[in-house]
Amino acid sequence: MRGARQVSAGGVVFKQLTSEIKICLIARRNKKKLVWCLPKGHVEPDETLEATALREVKEETGLSGTLLGPLGSITYQFFDPSSKKHIFKIVHFFLICYQSGKTADHDDEVESVQWFPIDEALKIIEYKGEFDILKKAKAKLLNEPN
């Protein structure tokens, strides 16, 4: 059975408050459990990675922002029962500074959208690859080596 490749893009959306940095995470339900993760989605034909990241962030969080630069990518694989194929996926992430929008305006693919202090976001984010991306974002935002 052949595998399929998927390319996605997403973002680490942040806002700088007087005393702290907050990160926007989305929650999806996975087997009755809420899973906190970063917003991301498939690249459409003729769409750049950057445009995908901004579009997916807007759809999944209700928020718009300014793209500040790449944070790297993660790769993983999984089995898709509907297509009966192994999927090999790469997700490119970008640092995005919040500009406008409300988390209540997210789409129905997402169960919840919330702002978290960056250290709390690092504690609750579910996936190791996304944790690593969030650590890179924190290092960039605090001008620390990663």
Side-chain angles (χ1 to χ4, degrees):
M1 201 158 299
R2 292 199 56 225
R5 296 196 180 281
Q6 289 182 359
V7 179
S8 293
V12 174
V13 182
F14 75 95
K15 61 182 175 182
Q16 177 76 53
L17 303 174
T18 308
S19 60
E20 65 184 347
I21 296 168
K22 289 211 172 183
I23 302 293
C24 184
L25 296 180
I26 63 170
R28 299 180 190 274
R29 191 147 302 271
N30 186 356
K31 298 176 187 153
K32 298 185 179 180
K33 177 186 173 198
L34 266 187
V35 174
W36 290 99
C37 54
L38 296 170
K40 60 194 166 296
H42 296 106
V43 177
E44 299 293 337
D46 300 324
E47 188 177 45
T48 66
L49 295 173
E50 293 84 354
T52 300
L54 291 170
R55 177 181 54 76
E56 286 292 339
V57 161
K58 176 74 172 157
E59 290 173 6
E60 294 189 345
T61 67
L63 307 176
S64 295
T66 302
L67 197 140
L68 300 182
L71 288 169
S73 60
I74 60 173
T75 57
Y76 55 95
Q77 53 186 303
F78 61 94
F79 182 75
D80 178 31
S82 61
S83 69
K84 295 184 172 50
K85 288 185 177 178
H86 284 279
I87 308 295
F88 301 91
K89 188 163 189 166
I90 183 166
V91 185
H92 302 272
F93 285 100
F94 297 87
L95 188 60
I96 299 172
C97 181
Y98 166 77
Q99 295 293 309
S100 64
K102 296 183 203 144
T103 56
D105 295 337
H106 65 82
D107 68 14
D108 60 4
E109 288 181 29
V110 173
E111 188 158 323
S112 183
V113 179
Q114 290 183 37
W115 289 102
F116 295 95
I118 196 164
D119 289 330
E120 187 178 340
L122 282 162
K123 288 178 189 163
I124 67 168
I125 198 160
E126 186 74 18
Y127 303 113
K128 167 86 170 85
E130 293 186 13
F131 172 86
D132 293 342
I133 292 291
L134 192 49
K135 276 189 78 168
K136 282 185 187 177
K138 180 181 177 182
K140 277 191 181 215
L141 291 168
L142 298 177
N143 296 314
E144 297 173 347
N146 34 341

